[in-house]
């Protein structure tokens, strides 16, 4: 049985999709949450100077996308064939773009520029990405099931944390599109995930 250790800060952000995968797979893992004061020293030992880092039997793997895809492959959450895997990637990349738009806001220090980024996010940028996601969701069984195929995949789990945990960090931003919301709720209500949501550490983001 392989061992899994996921290292990240005490936050959801770039590690939560991997935690969702572990929850759904029923896989034990070490959820190693760093204290801020530990980071400067530990950073020097990280392959890319950043987290998340997943160790499988002690072998390190960095970059959240690589981590998520590796876990999804292992736990059969990466579609049933190459074409479905590509469609799953497409949803995840769409979420990466949405995440980039939001991270520009989180990381901006200049007050005026931050306000402008927020305005753009609320007025155009976020809804553009929500619409892309809706198109992808609706293309599969009218949007009443999963993003890809007829079972849960990495795409659904990634969307579920982005459209809740990440969106909640942007003041005034809400997903209002009924099908996107219904999908997120369906996913979060699966027993393994609703259990994880109840027991996961409460963190601001
Ligand atoms: N491409 C990487 C980006 C990782 C990243 O930006 N990590 C941030 C936290 S979300 C980090 O380690 N920040 C601390 C630092 O760079 O010192 C991924 O997707 O995992």
């Amino acid at each position: 049985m392989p061992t899994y250790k996921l290292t990240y800060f005490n936050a959801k952000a770039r590690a939560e999709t991997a935690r969702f995968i572990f929850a759904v797979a029923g896989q034990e893992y070490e959820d190693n949450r760093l204290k801020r004061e530990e980071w400067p020293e530990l950073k020097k030992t990280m392959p890319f100077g950043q987290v998340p880092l997943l160790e499988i039997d002690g072998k390190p793997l960095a970059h959240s996308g690589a981590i998520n895809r590796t876990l999804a492959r292992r736990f059969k959450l990466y579609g049933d064939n190459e074409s479905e895997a590509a469609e799953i990637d497409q949803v995840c990349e769409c979420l990466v773009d949405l995440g980039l738009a939001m991270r520009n806001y989180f990381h901006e220090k200049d007050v005026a520029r931050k306000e402008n980024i927020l305005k753009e996010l609320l007025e155009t940028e976020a809804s553009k990405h929500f619409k892309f996601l809706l198109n992808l969701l609706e293309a599969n069984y009218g949007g009443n099931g999963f993003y890809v195929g007829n079972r849960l995949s990495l795409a659904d789990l990634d969307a579920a944390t982005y459209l809740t945990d990440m969106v909640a960090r942007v003041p005034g931003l809400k997903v209002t599109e009924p099908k996107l919301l219904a999908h997120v709720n369906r996913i979060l209500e699966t027993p393994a995930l609703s259990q994880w949501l109840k027991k996961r550490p409460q963190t601001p983001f």
Side-chain angles (χ1 to χ4, degrees):
M1 215 21 151
T3 60
Y4 297 90
K5 177 176 176 181
L6 180 67
T7 297
Y8 195 58
F9 299 113
N10 186 22
K12 296 180 267 289
R14 287 193 204 259
E16 199 61 11
T17 302
R19 297 190 187 109
F20 277 15
I21 295 174
F22 283 127
V24 164
Q27 175 63 50
E28 292 287 317
Y29 68 106
E30 185 181 342
D31 189 8
N32 181 33
R33 292 171 184 250
L34 301 172
K35 296 193 179 63
R36 283 281 160 188
E37 60 270 24
E38 292 177 280
W39 179 236
E41 272 312 298
L42 203 73
K43 183 176 170 72
K44 297 176 194 160
T45 70
M46 294 286 141
F48 299 89
Q50 292 192 312
V51 280
L53 186 85
L54 176 69
E55 289 163 78
I56 305 179
D57 288 334
K59 186 173 178 203
L61 177 68
H63 289 297
S64 51
I67 291 171
N68 296 343
R69 285 192 287 276
T70 296
L71 292 176
R73 247 180 243 115
R74 284 187 169 225
F75 298 119
K76 312 284 177 242
L77 292 163
Y78 207 20
D80 289 331
N81 50 52
E82 201 182 296
S83 160
E84 286 191 357
E87 286 176 37
I88 290 166
D89 283 343
Q90 189 172 233
V91 175
C92 295
E93 291 303 318
C94 184
L95 291 162
V96 167
D97 285 352
L98 170 64
L100 277 178
M102 293 193 276
R103 282 187 180 97
N104 285 340
Y105 167 73
F106 303 147
H107 294 147
E108 183 57 61
K109 298 272 185 281
D110 180 87
V111 175
R113 275 206 296 267
K114 201 173 176 81
E115 262 175 34
N116 275 340
I117 296 174
L118 180 61
K119 187 168 177 302
E120 214 174 295
L121 254 182
L122 296 179
E123 286 176 4
T124 53
E125 195 60 17
S127 54
K128 178 180 85 182
H129 293 290
F130 293 160
K131 181 74 175 102
F132 290 151
L133 286 167
L134 181 65
N135 291 345
L136 293 173
L137 185 63
E138 282 188 325
N140 193 43
Y141 298 102
N144 298 311
F146 303 99
Y147 271 99
V148 178
N150 55 11
R151 65 186 184 88
L152 185 74
S153 77
L154 168 61
D156 303 297
L157 299 175
D158 216 17
T161 173
Y162 265 84
L163 296 185
T164 55
D165 300 323
M166 184 89 90
V167 162
R169 291 178 67 185
V170 181
L173 184 60
K174 281 205 163 30
V175 181
T176 52
E177 169 52 49
K179 276 192 179 159
L180 286 184
L181 280 176
H183 167 268
V184 165
N185 290 335
R186 271 198 305 283
I187 301 307
L188 295 181
E189 279 164 10
T190 59
L193 278 184
S194 77
Q195 267 180 29
W196 169 245
L197 294 190
K198 274 185 215 131
K199 75 172 188 193
R200 72 180 175 181
Q202 295 303 307
T203 56
F205 56 87

